[in-house]
Amino acid sequence: MHEAAIVAGLMKILERQAALHGVSRIGRVNLKVGRLKAVEPQALVACFEIFAEGGVAEGAELCVDHLPVRGRCGACGCDFEVKGYRFRCPRCGGGDVAVTGGEELYIESFEAAEAAEASEGG
Ligand SMILES: [Zn+2]
């Protein structure tokens, strides 16, 4: 259940960012997660709901966007998307592949919930 640890960290970031931007309630969080992180989106959302309770992100929607695994060939420098965990260069067939993507985990953006008391000045 490393999702709980991930979400705990995300919450801290969200609360700090919300305070910085004067957001009192978050409506939606866009999260980017690399496929190598092997997190269960459903578990992540479930944890998010628990951690968000009583905080700035309570009731917010968590949108998880998966990022592909990427690799770079050490022999020819080819940069490619790794599919099906096949770490082999599609150009030269070399196996000397360095992982360059897929381990990301960050908040791309978040949106403030619509304020109930929005005032429009003329
Ligand atoms: Zn290659």
Side-chain angles (χ1 to χ4, degrees):
M1 241 349 233
H2 69 152
E3 282 85 357
I6 291 169
V7 171
L10 292 176
M11 271 314 155
K12 278 186 193 156
I13 296 167
L14 281 174
E15 282 180 4
R16 198 163 51 223
Q17 288 299 315
L20 271 173
H21 296 281
V23 173
S24 57
R25 192 158 286 277
I26 293 170
R28 183 189 167 107
V29 178
N30 298 308
L31 191 70
K32 294 276 187 191
V33 182
R35 291 207 177 273
L36 286 177
K37 278 288 176 191
V39 294
E40 277 292 328
Q42 282 176 324
L44 211 58
V45 170
C47 281
F48 184 82
E49 283 172 5
I50 294 164
F51 277 85
E53 247 175 71
V56 71
E58 184 171 358
E61 188 187 351
L62 181 68
C63 297
V64 182
D65 189 16
H66 279 103
L67 296 172
V69 180
R70 297 198 67 85
R72 181 176 289 125
C73 176
C76 74
C78 178
D79 202 349
F80 60 96
E81 184 181 333
V82 178
K83 284 178 181 164
Y85 299 100
R86 239 171 249 148
F87 291 90
R88 193 158 282 277
C89 176
R91 190 194 282 169
C92 74
D96 178 20
V97 174
V99 175
T100 57
E103 294 185 280
E104 302 86 347
L105 200 157
Y106 61 92
I107 297 162
E108 188 197 39
S109 61
F110 67 83
E111 293 160 27
E114 287 198 21
E117 47 190 324
S119 60
E120 282 183 56

